[in-house]
Amino acid sequence: MSLNQTIGQKCPMVVLAGNSHPELANLVAKRLGVRCGDMSAYHKENRETVVEIKESVRGKDIYIIQTGTKEINNDVMEMMIIAYACKTSCARNIVGVIPYLPYSKQSKMRKRGAIVCKLLATMMGQSGFTHIITMDLHQKEIQAFFNVPVDNLRASPFLIDYIKESIPDYRNAVIVARNPNSVKRVTSYAERLRLGIAVIHGEEKVSEQEEDDGRNSPPLVDSISGRTKQCGLEMLPVMHAKEKPPINVVGDVGGRIAIIVDDMIDDVDSFVKIADALKERGAYKIYVMATHGLLSSDAPRLLENSCIDEIVVTNTVPHQAQKLQCHKIKTVDISIMLVEAIRRIHHHESMSYLFRNIGVDD
């Protein structure tokens, strides 16, 4: 047996928990049969983040459990400082277990903004991460932002089991896509549940304030003739503004249970309006299911006062405070999926078993 093989077999595992979701970290560590590593992360009086790892990590496989919460910038800096501390302390592998990847909603260019998720992926690679475990990325293409392997786990098996076990008469349900972009995800759920689908098309009319952001520059004017100059041989075609119709339900939901499925629920205004439209079309019970329950601002109050009967989310993000404000919120535990992913990576086993019967569009 070679020296490398001997070292590989004896390499221990260390689980380090950030401050974002200690309950999930402790649950994962308990299921793995290990304790969370001795580490402290805190803020100094000037709000700088300080990390102190109080045990040796040299030559070990480190699993850092951190997720995105309302304190998202603190979560990000804390996570990268922990990784860099492990890197400079000669850890062998540094695996980020990040159930909800921060800034994943900012994965596309908008106006003169930035693709912040790409920036974050670059910084995480530079800070020392050698592997990332996450769950239900907002856009699957985000995996390509990283220069290290990314395993994008799925929560759909847990949510489907919840539907089968906790929703009476789920056979009379229809899976609802909240917009045409999520039809593929909804179709994957519907096919595994042997149910039909419905699609929400359009949006509520909102008057957008016209702002001069420099993109609507005036045409060039000839200083002598006073006429508009024409750049090029032909006039550019007129760019017509996109106009969506009012909210409409495509599909039959009359006398059925409507189950709205999405990857995250943060701003709940659109979910409440969609639920109202489904009620008007005859749905007698409405569920909302999402992997990440961010539930920002006054989301719990809006959900409590809405016609939505139940909101089901996983524990990728802590939401105990929101549950106290809204009794409709239910939590599904996905820690066993993270535990199995960590176990397989640590023992160099295939991850394909965790993706069985799951389509690319799920």
Side-chain angles (χ1 to χ4, degrees), residues 219-222 227-236:
L220 297 174
V221 178
D222 192 296
R227 295 181 178 180
T228 300
K229 288 184 178 180
Q230 203 171 316
C231 299
L233 298 176
E234 297 179 355
M235 290 290 289
L236 291 173

Side-chain angles (χ1 to χ4, degrees), residues 59-94:
K60 298 179 181 179
D61 288 344
I62 311 300
Y63 296 86
I64 302 172
I65 301 177
Q66 184 84 315
T67 193
T69 65
K70 292 181 179 179
E71 300 292 332
I72 196 162
N73 293 321
N74 289 335
D75 298 335
V76 167
M77 282 305 301
E78 184 181 284
M79 172 179 64
M80 291 194 295
I81 292 172
I82 295 172
Y84 192 67
C86 294
K87 177 182 178 181
T88 54
S89 298
C90 301
R92 191 178 77 157
N93 291 308
I94 305 170

Side-chain angles (χ1 to χ4, degrees), residues 3-221:
L3 178 61
N4 287 336
Q5 289 175 325
T6 304
I7 295 174
Q9 284 187 358
K10 293 182 179 180
C11 181
M13 171 196 300
V14 176
V15 175
L16 297 179
N19 290 321
S20 63
H21 202 343
E23 295 84 3
L24 180 63
N26 290 330
L27 199 55
V28 169
K30 183 178 179 181
R31 287 180 181 272
L32 284 169
V34 300
R35 62 172 181 83
C36 285
D38 191 4
M39 183 203 74
S40 63
Y42 59 92
H43 294 289
K44 298 178 69 175
E45 291 182 358
N46 62 358
R47 302 305 297 166
E48 286 185 359
T49 300
V50 178
V51 169
E52 296 178 357
I53 301 176
K54 301 176 181 179
E55 62 181 81
S56 174
V57 296
R58 182 179 294 272
K60 298 179 181 179
D61 288 344
I62 311 300
Y63 296 86
I64 302 172
I65 301 177
Q66 184 84 315
T67 193
T69 65
K70 292 181 179 179
E71 300 292 332
I72 196 162
N73 293 321
N74 289 335
D75 298 335
V76 167
M77 282 305 301
E78 184 181 284
M79 172 179 64
M80 291 194 295
I81 292 172
I82 295 172
Y84 192 67
C86 294
K87 177 182 178 181
T88 54
S89 298
C90 301
R92 191 178 77 157
N93 291 308
I94 305 170
V95 181
V97 183
I98 313 166
Y100 171 63
L101 183 69
Y103 287 101
S104 60
K105 293 175 75 174
Q106 296 191 52
S107 58
K108 294 181 180 180
M109 178 65 76
R110 300 184 186 279
K111 294 186 179 180
R112 295 189 185 90
I115 305 177
V116 185
C117 195
K118 168 60 178 173
L119 173 63
L120 176 62
T122 303
M123 292 193 299
M124 289 174 65
Q126 292 295 320
S127 65
F129 284 105
T130 58
H131 199 131
I132 301 295
I133 301 172
T134 187
M135 184 166 280
D136 281 331
L137 289 170
H138 190 56
Q139 299 288 338
K140 295 174 182 61
E141 293 78 8
I142 290 174
Q143 295 176 82
F145 292 171
F146 290 85
N147 56 6
V148 298
V150 177
D151 285 308
N152 180 28
L153 306 175
R154 307 294 199 276
S156 58
F158 297 93
L159 297 177
I160 287 173
D161 282 348
Y162 183 91
I163 292 172
K164 291 180 177 180
E165 296 171 4
S166 303
I167 299 181
D169 195 24
Y170 80 91
R171 295 288 185 187
N172 188 36
V174 59
I175 310 297
V176 180
R178 61 187 293 256
N179 55 51
N181 294 331
S182 56
V183 169
K184 291 182 178 180
R185 179 194 302 274
V186 164
T187 301
S188 176
Y189 275 73
E191 288 176 348
R192 281 179 280 172
L193 289 165
R194 310 293 192 269
L195 300 175
I197 71 168
V199 182
I200 303 298
H201 181 248
E203 60 186 14
E204 187 184 17
K205 297 292 182 181
V206 179
S207 58
E208 295 184 1
Q209 183 180 359
E210 293 293 335
E211 296 181 357
D212 182 10
D213 63 355
R215 295 183 299 165
N216 301 319
S217 304
L220 297 174
V221 178

